[in-house]
Amino acid sequence: MTQAELKLCSLLLREHFGDIVEAIGTFLIRSGPQPLRLIVADTGLLLDQVKKALCVLIQHNMVSYQVQKRGLVEYEGRCQRVLRILRYPRYIYTTKSLYGDTGELLVEELLLNGHMSMSALVRKVADRLTETMEDGKTMDYSEVVNTFVRLADTHFVQRCPLVPEGLDTPKVPPPPAPTLVLSEKDMYVVPRLNLVGKGKRRRSCEEEEDGEHQAKKQKQDGGSTEPPPDDGIYWQVNIDRFHQHFRDQAIVSAVANRMDQTSSEVVRTMLRMSEVTTSSNASYTQPLSSNEIFRSLPAGYNIGKQVLDQYLTLLADDPLEFVGKARDSGGGMFTVRGHLGPSRAHSLPFLPSPEVFPSRLRFGSRCARIFRLLLRKKHLEQKQVEDFAMIPAKEAKDMLYKMLSENLVALQEIPKTPDHAPSRTFYLYTVNVPAAARMLLHRCYKSVANLMERRLYESRENKRLLEKSQRVEAILASLQATGAGDTQLQDIEEMITGPERQQLDTLKRNVNKLDASEMQVDETIFMLESFIESTVRRP
């Protein structure tokens, strides 16, 4: 873990959970597994504060715990899981594009709360959707349940591990911390619930006070409500499944850039057929026959069986190796390769983030040409680089040395004699792709941290103006609800002067640019992380 990752984790935790949770999470990520006593002593926080912060982090899967041999419970921060906060908007947007507004709110609530039961989640989402509808219209629970079932069937949400039953025996003392287990066959099984009802709108202040008094009275009288039928069954977002979807989209875009739209649609069909049957970490999809692929093609594509076989053969013979041929039986069995390894680094320029190698804006298009040339040819002398890239000798030398100083390329010496005399030594330029990817990933983390700090600085500098704008908007909303006239509304709007409104517009525009930049850098981070993981996990 680098300092850039630690700084980014600290910023994300502080922005989403506050200073206390940020202090505990950063301490655990920096120090490794620690018992509760040492966490309290080293952070200087109260025991109750530490316990509550740990509960929040465990709720969101950002801290794990383990019981040691002596019965001591140690807590460990999960740096990679904290960094996934940066990708939350992308998860939500993907769900919206696939499952509409209902799916968007389901995933948003799960991300905000860490994990929830299905019954509570359905009720909350139905209430939120009802708030956005016109008066007199409500969202039925059954519609939300149907969308939730579709999310579970496609593995975008999954069950949380549970405490195994039958451990509470009077003779055996309970363990210091429970061990959570979950069988793989039950991970996506949706409980059968009879949720009947519709979403409710927010009540007025007086109704809320009456409801609170009734609830307190019922509690004092000893009345208790029955637990929901899915009590103890909690659900969470399957982040690996979202990453599999992002990876599949990147592969489809790469095939479209390399070949044509029809080839990418063939690959998209193969990925869609095996998205549930193939593990998120698998190197290859399940083998599919050409007959199965032909039957699953979209109706709009009028491709004959013979043309499809030609496309599959073309994809299998392509040096980028996105599609492989597993067997020849049944007209051929084909798979889609799910990740990039070092042997396929030459395919990186075709992926949707061409700025990754070697940062075109930083070094220029000619450096990018040299870098791609080294990716394809593996090892080249300086004179060969000049000839192949068609760049003058002086410029090629300067560019190679510039990239060498930034650790984007490496220089390998091959001596002819044992004395390593320069006149009798070959100097070959090459690219250590995993090392270059790690270096670029480190820079991406630093870039996101800088963008977040700049966004926070902009908001902090204009805090007074933002608070004033929020007060004015609240007054306008209340007056509109009571049916105030246009003159009265205009007087309230004029509380913000022209220069202040212009300053607000500039601030919103700058913040939106910074937000968009964070998401763009995160797309590059995802590509680099996927590549680095594939170098560790060989097929």
Side-chain angles (χ1 to χ4, degrees):
M1 184 195 60
T2 61
Q3 287 295 321
E5 291 176 279
L6 182 62
K7 181 180 179 181
L8 183 55
C9 287
S10 176
L11 290 171
L12 289 170
L13 288 172
R14 183 183 303 152
E15 183 177 10
H16 288 81
F17 300 106
D19 294 335
I20 296 177
V21 175
E22 181 268 331
I24 300 298
T26 307
F27 171 76
L28 290 176
I29 292 172
R30 186 193 303 113
S31 306
Q34 297 289 337
L36 180 62
R37 179 175 54 83
L38 286 181
I39 297 174
V40 174
D42 291 348
T43 57
L45 297 172
L46 299 176
L47 178 61
D48 188 54
Q49 292 177 325
V50 174
K51 287 182 177 180
K52 290 179 179 179
L54 287 174
C55 287
V56 171
L57 292 169
I58 292 173
Q59 172 92 1
H60 289 267
N61 293 325
M62 296 175 188
V63 164
S64 60
Y65 61 87
Q66 188 174 7
V67 181
Q68 301 300 320
K69 293 181 179 180
R70 297 183 178 180
L72 197 66
V73 181
E74 288 189 345
Y75 301 89
E76 183 177 8
R78 301 175 61 188
C79 177
Q80 291 301 315
R81 181 60 183 82
V82 175
L83 293 175
R84 294 294 85 87
I85 298 176
L86 194 64
R87 212 160 289 161
Y88 280 6
R90 196 176 178 190
Y91 300 150
I92 296 171
Y93 177 77
T94 300
T95 314
K96 181 181 177 65
S97 61
L98 294 175
Y99 300 99
D101 294 338
T102 307
E104 174 194 9
L105 292 182
L106 285 168
V107 171
E108 181 181 340
E109 287 294 334
L110 285 175
L111 291 173
L112 287 174
N113 294 278
H115 58 258
M116 296 179 69
S117 64
M118 178 181 170
S119 56
L121 180 62
V122 168
R123 292 190 182 96
K124 191 162 188 177
V125 170
D127 292 345
R128 288 186 60 181
L129 288 171
T130 302
E131 287 286 339
T132 61
M133 292 181 173
E134 299 176 358
D135 292 338
K137 293 184 179 181
T138 56
M139 172 60 66
D140 196 274
Y141 286 170
S142 60
E143 297 182 30
V144 183
V145 170
N146 292 336
T147 305
F148 184 89
V149 171
R150 291 169 59 197
L151 284 169
D153 290 341
T154 50
H155 298 182
F156 283 105
V157 296
Q158 63 183 11
R159 285 193 183 190
C160 298
L162 303 174
V163 179
E165 297 179 358
L167 294 181
D168 297 335
T169 56
K171 296 182 180 179
V172 180
T179 302
L180 305 180
V181 295
L182 179 64
S183 61
E184 192 171 344
K185 65 178 182 179
D186 297 333
M187 192 172 291
Y188 306 104
V189 177
V190 179
R192 294 184 179 180
L193 303 178
N194 187 20
L195 293 176
V196 180
K198 296 182 179 181
K200 300 176 182 178
R201 299 181 185 273
R202 291 181 181 177
R203 298 173 297 179
S204 62
C205 297
E206 295 180 358
E207 291 177 345
E208 286 182 358
E209 290 179 359
D210 294 340
E212 289 177 0
H213 289 316
Q214 291 177 3
K216 289 180 180 178
K217 185 177 181 181
Q218 184 180 7
K219 188 175 181 181
Q220 291 173 356
D221 294 341
S224 60
T225 58
E226 294 182 1
D230 62 340
D231 186 32
I233 301 176
Y234 295 96
W235 293 82
Q236 63 185 355
V237 174
N238 186 2
I239 289 179
D240 291 336
R241 177 65 181 88
F242 277 98
H243 291 176
Q244 179 187 357
H245 178 77
F246 299 156
R247 180 201 65 195
D248 293 348
Q249 295 297 106
I251 291 174
V252 171
S253 300
V255 173
N257 293 337
R258 172 72 170 175
M259 296 182 180
D260 60 1
Q261 193 64 33
T262 305
S263 300
S264 67
E265 192 60 40
V266 172
V267 175
R268 188 195 304 274
T269 302
M270 296 174 66
L271 292 169
R272 188 172 59 248
M273 293 171 63
S274 58
E275 63 182 0
V276 177
T277 58
T278 302
S279 172
S280 302
N281 298 323
S283 302
Y284 295 89
T285 61
Q286 295 292 333
L288 300 170
S289 67
S290 60
N291 295 324
E292 292 175 324
I293 300 171
F294 178 71
R295 289 194 296 268
S296 301
L297 282 173
Y301 275 82
N302 298 321
I303 303 176
K305 179 65 168 60
Q306 186 177 0
V307 176
L308 174 64
D309 291 339
Q310 293 175 354
Y311 269 108
L312 290 172
T313 303
L314 182 65
L315 287 166
D317 294 340
D318 190 79
L320 296 187
E321 302 175 357
F322 284 118
V323 175
K325 193 170 185 179
R327 294 189 295 273
D328 294 329
S329 59
M333 302 291 287
F334 298 89
T335 63
V336 179
R337 188 165 185 176
H339 64 74
L340 295 170
S343 61
R344 300 172 65 211
H346 58 278
S347 62
L348 288 169
F350 293 95
L351 293 174
S353 298
E355 71 277 9
V356 171
F357 296 97
S359 182
R360 187 189 300 266
L361 296 177
R362 184 180 180 88
F363 298 101
S365 59
R366 290 194 171 186
C367 282
R369 190 193 311 172
I370 294 174
F371 192 89
R372 290 180 176 180
L373 180 64
L374 291 174
L375 282 177
R376 292 178 181 275
K377 300 294 185 180
K378 306 296 183 185
H379 295 84
L380 289 175
E381 292 186 273
Q382 182 176 321
K383 183 66 170 66
Q384 292 175 313
V385 171
E386 300 165 5
D387 295 339
F388 283 126
M390 293 182 291
I391 296 176
K394 186 176 183 301
E395 292 184 19
K397 182 178 179 181
D398 292 341
M399 293 174 186
L400 284 169
Y401 285 173
K402 184 187 298 184
M403 288 191 290
L404 184 64
S405 63
E406 296 287 343
N407 295 324
L408 276 171
V409 300
L411 188 62
Q412 185 175 355
E413 298 181 3
I414 303 179
K416 297 180 183 178
T417 56
D419 59 354
H420 288 262
S423 59
R424 294 185 293 276
T425 302
F426 291 108
Y427 295 95
L428 302 179
Y429 287 94
T430 185
V431 177
N432 185 350
V433 182
R438 290 188 181 91
M439 185 270 294
L440 290 171
L441 181 61
H442 175 72
R443 286 188 175 175
C444 287
Y445 287 141
K446 290 181 66 176
S447 299
V448 175
N450 292 338
L451 288 168
M452 289 187 65
E453 287 186 326
R454 182 64 190 181
R455 176 166 53 82
L456 294 173
Y457 172 79
E458 292 282 349
S459 302
R460 189 167 56 250
E461 287 295 307
N462 297 274
K463 182 179 179 181
R464 185 195 61 80
L465 186 58
L466 288 172
E467 291 176 350
K468 181 179 179 180
S469 174
Q470 291 173 357
R471 288 196 301 270
V472 170
E473 290 176 358
I475 295 172
L476 286 173
S478 62
L479 289 176
Q480 288 174 351
T482 56
D486 295 337
T487 305
Q488 190 175 2
L489 293 176
Q490 186 176 0
D491 292 340
I492 299 299
E493 289 179 353
E494 290 177 354
M495 291 174 63
I496 299 179
T497 63
E500 287 179 335
R501 196 171 299 279
Q502 185 177 3
Q503 188 177 353
L504 274 174
D505 293 339
T506 303
L507 174 63
K508 292 178 181 178
R509 187 166 55 251
N510 292 339
V511 170
N512 290 336
K513 285 182 180 180
L514 292 170
D515 285 333
S517 299
E518 288 178 29
M519 288 185 281
Q520 288 175 354
V521 177
D522 180 65
E523 292 180 12
T524 303
I525 289 175
F526 174 74
M527 298 301 301
L528 291 169
E529 286 179 341
S530 301
F531 176 77
I532 293 171
E533 288 176 7
S534 68
T535 62
V536 177
R537 186 184 65 248
R538 294 299 178 88

